[in-house]
Amino acid sequence: MLLEVKNLKTEFKLKRGTVRAVDDVSFTIDKGEILAIVGESGSGKSVTSLSIMGLLQNPGKIAGGEILFKSQDLNKMNQKELQKIRGNEISMIFQEPMTSLNPVYRIKDQIMENILTHMEISKKEALERTVKMLETVGIPSPAERANDYPHQMSGGMRQRVMIAMALSCDPELLIADEPTTALDVTIQAQILELLYNMREKFNMAVMLITHDLGVVAEAADRVIVMYCGKIVEEANVKSLFKNPLHPYTVGLLNSIPQIDNDSDERLYMIKGMVPNPLHMPSGCSFSDRCEHCMERCTKETPELREIDGHKVRCFLYDETKEGELKVK
C-alpha cells in the first residue's frame, strides 16, 4: 500500500462559522493504481488533495486523521520534511496550467527548478532531463520549445508541460486535479492516454480528481464518489458503472448525454443545489435532493458500509431480517 488516508478531517474557520470541507474521509491507493475521485464542485475533492500535499492555505487546516505515505504520517511532518517529498515522491498537476506556470519564466527554467531542488545533478544534466521529459510527454521539437514562455503554448501543450514537471523526478504518486478541464475532447484523450502510459512505464500510482465520469470510465481502476466532504460510494470502475448504488451516483450517471438516445426527453438533472456548507441539513447531506428520501434520512447520518465489494453510505441498503437488501 502506497498511500493510506485515515479519517481525514479538514476545516476552514471563517467569521460566519466553521466549514468542514473534508469530513472523516478514508481511502487507500496501491502502487500502479489509478484511483478516481469524482463529485460536483464543492464536494471536497481538491481540498483532499491539498491536504495530502500539505498545501492548505489559511484559514484551512487539518483537524484530524492521518495521511500515511509509505507508512509515514505526512500530517506530522514539518514543511522542510514535506518539501523533500513534494515534487519528488509525490507530485501534483494543478487545475489550470496557465495560472500554475509562471508567465515570466521560460518552460525549461520552471522544470529545471524542480529537478535541481530534489536531485543532485548539474544544470547541464537537469536541462537534458528537462528536454527528455518534454519529449516523453509528446511535445514536438522539445529542445526549442523548452525556451518558450507559457503564453507561447496552447492549452494542451501547457498541460503537457505541467505533466512533464510533475514527472520530472519520477514520483511514486501523481495527483492530477482536473487534468483535462477546458481542453477539447481530442486533447483530453491524448492527456489521458499519456497519464495511462506514464503509469505503465513507471509503475506510478495516480489519484485522478475529476467531475467528468467519461474520464473516469476511460482511465480509472477504482472510483470514490464524494458529496459534501464525505465519501458516499466506493467501488471498482466496472462495478460502479454497471451497478451504482447511491442515489447521487445514479443521478450523476443519468446526467451523462447518451449518443444513441433518440428520446426527446430533457437530459436528467439532479434537483436542487449542493447545500451551503455553513448550514448543512441534519441527517444525510443528500436528503433534500434525493428522490428516495425517507424520514430517517432527515434525522440520521448513514455510515459507509460494504455490500458485495461496494461501499455505500445510504439507508436504502440496510439489511432485512432475511439478509436481503431493501429496494434500491
Side-chain angles (χ1 to χ4, degrees), residues 89-150:
E89 297 179 69
I90 304 176
S91 284
M92 184 169 178
I93 303 171
F94 295 92
Q95 282 193 31
E96 176 48 59
M98 196 62 223
T99 56
S100 300
L101 293 170
N102 193 318
V104 299
Y105 286 95
R106 297 181 189 276
I107 295 300
K108 66 178 182 182
D109 297 325
Q110 301 187 54
I111 299 178
M112 286 174 62
E113 180 183 13
N114 187 56
I115 295 172
L116 293 170
T117 298
H118 296 290
M119 304 179 75
E120 296 182 358
I121 60 177
S122 66
K123 285 187 176 182
K124 181 180 178 182
E125 291 172 319
L127 177 59
E128 291 173 352
R129 187 175 182 86
T130 295
V131 173
K132 182 179 178 181
M133 289 310 305
L134 292 175
E135 182 180 14
T136 300
V137 299
I139 291 181
S141 306
E144 289 77 19
R145 300 309 300 268
N147 290 302
D148 286 351
Y149 291 93

Side-chain angles (χ1 to χ4, degrees), residues 91-94 174-179 195 206-210:
S91 284
M92 184 169 178
I93 303 171
F94 295 92
L174 175 66
I175 300 176
D177 191 356
E178 303 280 8
L195 287 176
V206 179
M207 178 175 155
L208 178 64
I209 298 170
T210 182

Side-chain angles (χ1 to χ4, degrees), residues 14 26 62 91 102 122 129 140 142-143 203 251 253 274 284 291 313:
L14 310 174
S26 300
I62 295 175
S91 284
N102 193 318
S122 66
R129 187 175 182 86
N203 193 31
L253 291 171
V274 177
C284 175
E291 297 176 353
R313 188 186 299 274

Side-chain angles (χ1 to χ4, degrees), residues 253-272:
L253 291 171
N254 287 339
S255 301
I256 301 174
Q258 302 294 327
I259 296 176
D260 56 352
N261 187 2
D262 296 328
S263 173
D264 293 331
E265 293 182 10
R266 291 177 64 88
L267 185 66
Y268 178 84
M269 181 178 68
I270 302 174
K271 67 177 183 179

Side-chain angles (χ1 to χ4, degrees), residues 9 24 38 46 52 104 142 177 201 205 274-275 279 311 317-318:
K9 301 178 182 70
D24 200 27
V38 302
S46 294
I52 294 170
V104 299
D177 191 356
K201 184 175 181 178
V274 177
H279 305 287
K311 290 182 181 179
Y317 301 94
D318 279 0

Side-chain angles (χ1 to χ4, degrees), residues 7 43 46 78-79 82 92 108-109 114 119 135 139 146 169 173 185 191 197 211 225 305 309 311 317 323 325:
N7 308 114
S43 60
S46 294
N78 57 42
Q79 285 300 314
L82 278 173
M92 184 169 178
K108 66 178 182 182
D109 297 325
N114 187 56
M119 304 179 75
E135 182 180 14
I139 291 181
C169 293
L173 172 64
V185 290
I191 296 297
N197 290 339
H211 62 270
V225 182
R305 54 174 300 182
K311 290 182 181 179
Y317 301 94
L325 298 177

Side-chain angles (χ1 to χ4, degrees), residues 185-199:
V185 290
T186 304
I187 303 300
Q188 280 188 23
Q190 293 174 1
I191 296 297
L192 289 176
E193 183 180 7
L194 175 60
L195 287 176
Y196 192 85
N197 290 339
M198 294 298 101
R199 188 273 293 264

